[in-house]
Amino acid sequence: MKVKELVLNQYSGRVYKNRKDHIIEVEEGIDPVQPITANTRALPGIMTNRGCCYAGCKGVVLGPVKDVLTITHGPIGCGFYSWGTRRNKANVESGENFIQYCFSTDMQESDIVFGGEKKLRQAIDEAMSMFSPKGIFICSTCPVGLIGDDIHAVAAEAEEKYGITCVAFSCEGYKGVSQSGGHHIANNGLMRRVIGTGDKEINSKFKVNLLGEYNIGGDGWETERILKRIGYDVVSIFTGDGSFEDISNAHKADLNLVMCHRSINYIAEMMHTKYGTDWLKVNFIGIESTVQTLRDIAKFFDDPELYARTEEVIADELASIEEERAYYRTKLSGKTAALYVGGSRAHHYQSLLADFGVSTVLAGYEFAHRDDYEGRQVLDGLKEDADSKNIESITVEADPEKYRVFLTKERYEKLKNEIPLESYNGMIRDMKTGSYVVDDLNHFETEEFVRLLEPDIFFSGVKDKYVVQKAGVLSKQLHSYDYSGPYSGFNGSIIFARDLVMGLYTPAWNYVTPPWKNQSTLQAALAAGGEM
């Protein structure tokens, strides 16, 4: 019996029916690729690893913006997520950095009963008196949407009172089916109120934005270093180490480089429509994938000097890591890995693992849509459901003053066939025959697939990291890198390989025997009082 059926057959009929289409075994030569069910509600009682809409808006997209003060309007329990849960590093040369703070209105029972708008106004007043930020973001949590606080009206009052940009995001946790809904809401707010408002003069020749890069462990800095070596001007990063001013001037870039497709594709599409900015799907995770990405970007700009400089930098970077790359490949070649990560990381990291001879036996996303798995080709056939309609959607039109086209129509059509321009083919196409793709992998399935597939390494987040380690399998976080990194680019690949070798060759959890393996942990007594 196949591994998929061994896992599914342990479910009741109702759960089996729900989960069977979320799990596929990759087959050879199927085109279009095998369909998978995604972006649907997890069944009640299933221990999913997903986050909520608020987590996607505040925790992923808005949180890394360093010089905007973001207030969580809700109970302090929700506010905890706004502080210290992700390693979004920021470099402050001038101005403020609010990432290290946790700002919350700390709603109590009385605020739920009588309304929390007064408390939100007070929080804004305190923030302005203490910090004088350039801008304020307000993120609402579940109770706010249920009681009807008008955070948008409060934001408008603050703008008039203080003369700053104050943007409210109705990202109540219950909206949508996962944190993906929060990404969409954050993208809409940034597009509507921030992007395009800047007037900075940028006269450099090759201007790019880096979208879907959150600078976990310094990834954004390493990527930016490589791009600057070649001669690119990175106008803004969305949103790792991002600033309000940089994001407001993002419309002046010639090309958007999209890393995390799911969290930022809405902005990429809207900027293409409103400002004419083309977008390119890239991957700076992995040695060969970074090389390919740099060549794709150079092909977009089609400049002889840029081509030459790109190859010069690639050769220099590869030479600097050649010895360590060969060493770590001897230590990692033949190992197997399973990945369950958000965004596009479960796809990106397969390239990096392959660079060192590690094959992927299972991969899945927490909050993906079908196009993240099967490619954007399926978008036209997707039907909008009730959960999708619950997420705010905005329509943009070409800006009569700021819209500009970098490529001619003929050049655009030619490049579409050569590089991933306004395109993403999804994860499944790059996975080997016989490997497994699992959407919304839950705790039970995690333990079963680890037991049956026996991967040497499991990549995921903090929610299931320790369960896997107690099963004797090395588990690495790809949400915070276990306080290591960066993992992007050429140097990052070596740091990644080093961390894996340290973990694999120090298998501490294999020496731990859980107490329930060799002694009873149950105690009971007879009704009459006698001890069993």
Side-chain angles (χ1 to χ4, degrees):
M1 186 179 294
K2 291 187 175 182
V3 169
K4 174 181 176 178
E5 294 303 320
L6 287 173
V7 175
L8 288 172
N9 283 344
Q10 299 180 66
Y11 283 132
S12 66
R14 183 176 69 91
V15 179
Y16 180 99
K17 182 180 179 180
N18 174 274
R19 288 298 300 163
K20 65 182 180 65
D21 294 328
H22 289 264
I23 304 173
I24 65 170
E25 181 180 355
V26 178
E27 299 178 23
E28 187 176 7
I30 297 181
D31 192 32
V33 298
Q34 298 150 265
I36 188 170
T37 297
N39 195 38
T40 61
R41 294 188 182 191
L43 281 176
I46 292 289
M47 293 180 68
T48 178
N49 288 310
R50 284 172 166 174
C52 67
C53 180
Y54 161 77
C57 182
K58 168 61 180 77
V60 176
V61 180
L62 301 181
V65 182
K66 59 191 177 186
D67 60 352
V68 175
L69 191 150
T70 303
I71 298 175
T72 293
H73 185 36
I76 196 61
C78 300
F80 174 77
Y81 193 90
S82 68
W83 179 48
T85 56
R86 286 170 66 92
R87 297 177 63 235
N88 306 117
K89 293 190 173 183
N91 182 22
V92 184
E93 298 175 356
S94 61
E96 297 287 350
N97 177 14
F98 299 115
I99 293 179
Q100 68 266 40
Y101 295 105
C102 172
F103 300 102
S104 172
T105 52
D106 187 21
M107 292 180 71
Q108 302 295 312
E109 289 88 342
S110 60
D111 302 313
I112 304 299
V113 175
F114 298 108
E117 291 180 17
K118 181 179 178 180
K119 201 166 192 178
L120 178 58
R121 291 187 184 95
Q122 180 184 354
I124 293 173
D125 290 340
E126 289 181 5
M128 292 304 300
S129 65
M130 295 172 66
F131 299 100
S132 299
K134 298 176 182 178
I136 290 179
F137 292 158
I138 302 168
C139 294
S140 59
T141 59
C142 291
V144 175
L146 295 174
I147 66 177
D149 277 0
D150 191 345
I151 61 172
H152 299 275
V154 176
E157 292 174 15
E159 287 194 333
E160 184 175 354
K161 182 176 181 180
Y162 293 108
I164 63 168
T165 299
C166 186
V167 188
F169 298 84
S170 296
C171 55
E172 295 84 8
Y174 55 75
K175 286 186 175 179
V177 301
S178 69
Q179 53 265 61
S180 172
H183 304 152
H184 200 164
I185 292 169
N187 282 203
N188 290 346
L190 292 175
M191 189 68 199
R192 186 168 48 208
R193 296 296 315 281
V194 183
I195 300 169
T197 61
D199 56 3
K200 181 181 178 181
E201 288 294 329
I202 304 175
N203 298 315
S204 48
K205 192 174 182 181
F206 310 114
K207 302 182 290 294
V208 299
N209 294 318
L210 185 56
L211 273 60
E213 170 53 68
Y214 302 106
N215 206 33
I216 298 172
D219 283 344
W221 293 335
E222 180 63 15
T223 300
E224 188 176 17
R225 180 190 68 82
I226 298 169
L227 291 172
K228 285 184 174 181
R229 279 200 70 188
I230 295 174
Y232 297 105
D233 182 356
V234 181
V235 178
S236 66
I237 300 180
F238 284 71
T239 52
D241 196 30
S243 70
F244 185 91
E245 181 182 5
D246 290 344
I247 295 173
S248 71
N249 288 292
H251 63 292
K252 299 194 174 184
D254 302 314
L255 177 65
N256 281 326
L257 309 177
V258 175
M259 274 289 288
C260 177
H261 175 261
R262 182 73 270 138
S263 68
I264 214 78
N265 74 86
Y266 312 103
I267 280 179
E269 284 294 311
M270 288 187 285
M271 288 188 68
H272 187 217
T273 301
K274 188 171 183 178
Y275 302 113
T277 314
D278 294 307
W279 65 269
L280 180 71
K281 182 68 184 75
V282 299
N283 181 16
F284 288 101
I285 302 295
I287 300 169
E288 296 304 323
S289 58
T290 298
V291 169
Q292 185 61 53
T293 285
L294 294 176
R295 288 172 175 163
D296 287 346
I297 301 171
K299 187 170 288 188
F300 174 87
F301 287 99
D302 195 27
D303 180 88
E305 292 184 9
L306 190 64
Y307 280 127
R309 181 60 180 162
T310 298
E311 293 304 323
E312 180 183 336
V313 169
I314 288 173
D316 184 56
E317 294 283 343
L318 289 176
S320 70
I321 65 168
E322 181 179 3
E323 184 176 341
E324 290 176 292
R325 179 185 184 182
Y327 169 74
Y328 286 123
R329 187 176 176 88
T330 64
K331 306 293 284 184
L332 295 172
S333 185
K335 304 294 184 182
T336 59
L339 303 100
Y340 179 58
V341 201
S344 298
R345 290 174 183 269
H347 187 185
H348 290 161
Y349 274 87
Q350 293 185 54
S351 303
L352 177 50
L353 290 165
D355 287 333
F356 294 99
V358 181
S359 59
T360 300
V361 294
L362 179 146
Y365 293 128
E366 288 181 20
F367 48 75
H369 297 200
R370 280 184 58 190
D371 50 312
D372 297 300
Y373 292 107
E374 303 171 50
R376 293 180 65 88
Q377 300 88 338
V378 304
L379 284 176
D380 292 337
L382 297 182
K383 294 182 180 179
E384 191 177 40
D385 58 18
D387 288 310
S388 298
K389 292 178 180 178
N390 195 26
I391 303 299
E392 172 195 41
S393 181
I394 64 173
T395 302
V396 299
E397 297 178 351
D399 188 301
E401 297 180 357
K402 300 172 183 176
Y403 185 90
R404 59 190 179 89
V405 177
F406 186 85
L407 299 173
T408 64
K409 185 176 180 180
E410 294 75 18
R411 177 69 179 161
Y412 178 86
E413 292 300 326
K414 183 177 185 296
L415 282 179
K416 284 279 288 184
N417 299 319
E418 298 177 1
I419 60 177
L421 192 62
E422 268 86 59
S423 175
Y424 177 44
N425 284 329
M427 180 174 73
I428 295 175
R429 294 178 191 274
D430 288 339
M431 295 194 66
K432 293 183 178 180
T433 301
S435 60
Y436 290 87
V437 180
V438 185
D439 175 70
D440 189 20
L441 184 73
N442 58 55
H443 274 234
F444 165 73
E445 291 167 359
T446 297
E447 294 187 36
E448 288 301 291
F449 277 113
V450 166
R451 180 177 65 84
L452 294 167
L453 298 177
E454 298 182 335
D456 296 296
I457 318 153
F458 185 89
F459 297 95
S460 189
V462 69
K463 293 178 183 176
D464 41 4
K465 170 183 172 66
Y466 298 104
V467 172
V468 174
Q469 284 192 171
K470 289 174 182 177
V473 177
L474 171 65
S475 182
K476 293 289 293 180
Q477 279 202 71
L478 290 186
H479 294 297
S480 68
Y481 299 172
D482 290 319
Y483 304 96
S484 184
Y487 287 164
S488 68
F490 302 98
N491 294 334
S493 67
I494 299 303
I495 296 173
F496 176 81
R498 179 204 66 192
D499 288 352
L500 290 196
V501 169
M502 285 195 300
L504 285 168
Y505 288 88
T506 311
W509 286 101
N510 284 338
Y511 300 107
V512 176
T513 302
W516 57 84
K517 289 288 184 72
N518 53 26
Q519 67 184 46
S520 174
T521 59
L522 294 177
Q523 292 184 354
L526 296 174
E531 187 172 335
M532 291 185 68

